[in-house]
Amino acid sequence: MARVRMSDVAARAGVSTATVSMVLSGRDAARVSPQTQRRVREAAEEVGYELNSVARSLRTQQTRMVGLISDTIASTPFAGRMLAGANDVAREQGNLVVLVDTEGDADAERQALNALSGQQVDAMIYASMWHRVVEVPDGLPGDAVLLDCAAAAGGRAAVVPDERAGGMAAVRELVAAGHRRIAFLDAEERFELVASPLRYEGYRQVLAEAGIEPDPALHARAEPVAGGGRDAARRLLDLPAGRRPTAMFCFNDRMAMGAYAAAHHRGLSVPDDLSIVGYDDQQLVAAELDPPLTTIALPHYEMGRWAMEVALGLRPADPAAPYLMPCPVIRRASVGPPPAAFGG
């Protein structure tokens, strides 16, 4: 088979070989419009052209590789959308993502950092499966971007979900449907989840906006799994008539699943007797419940894209504070008006 040459790419893209060289090598690529860059890369893929990576790195001092160190996002489908977002941006820009999952092991993190530094990656992203505050490991470059986590000491470009605004959006769905007895099924404090107090702040703020006096009895804490949600919902449904909730905002979709079970055990229908909103839009949970669950989506894909765009210098970032990525409402069928006779 004849070797595919740069001139073949130029002919397919309708540009000069000099333009092809600039785009594929990264040298002076900023002089080429984004549309032309895209056309050149598509043409290179169509004709099967591959630039010699060793020659390119020697010429440009760039490896076109980005290191991504995570705890477990590669092995967790729920959070794996972060990797998809980051990878899509990298591929659009002609970069390769080198992923290392450490399972949260400090020794594995050190080895990964040493290996990626030895490979002279052009940029690095440090990612977490869930929103948390982290102690940045020694050896992580100062310009590395944090994904779904924030540095305890601050001063790092980072992106996290806007948990507080997400909590507000969830409760507004219930207030808009006419509910005033709204419970929050929260995670127990022992789990030390960053999202918990932020979502609770959002819950309380919307109650205040609606002129609803918060009832401490409607703030129920449990383990943030289906069993915990079931137990917390049972306690709430045991409250006397007039004090029982007509709606529940759950810390996550798994707790919402448990709330469904508690309601069905009492012979209650969702949403005719009880409205429920979750959080996460967890794969194979939220859309599969009966009825499908209205929930707040964690913007994993969008956060992954943002982190890669910052790592590659495609967008600015303020290291003084993490970027708060909006959490959209996913409306399904678990919210309705409060029943006339239930809960007073």
Side-chain angles (χ1 to χ4, degrees), residues 6-15 39-40 42-47:
M6 194 174 289
S7 57
D8 299 319
V9 180
R12 177 64 66 92
V15 299
R39 195 162 75 246
V40 168
E42 289 173 353
E45 186 173 345
E46 289 168 3
V47 301

Side-chain angles (χ1 to χ4, degrees), residues 192-208:
E192 299 181 340
L193 298 172
V194 171
S196 174
L198 294 173
R199 294 176 191 178
Y200 183 51
E201 285 177 18
Y203 163 82
R204 287 181 61 90
Q205 181 166 337
V206 174
L207 293 186

Side-chain angles (χ1 to χ4, degrees), residues 34-53:
Q35 295 83 358
T36 300
Q37 290 189 44
R38 189 179 307 111
R39 195 162 75 246
V40 168
R41 292 195 180 96
E42 289 173 353
E45 186 173 345
E46 289 168 3
V47 301
Y49 179 80
E50 294 184 7
L51 183 69
N52 185 293
S53 61

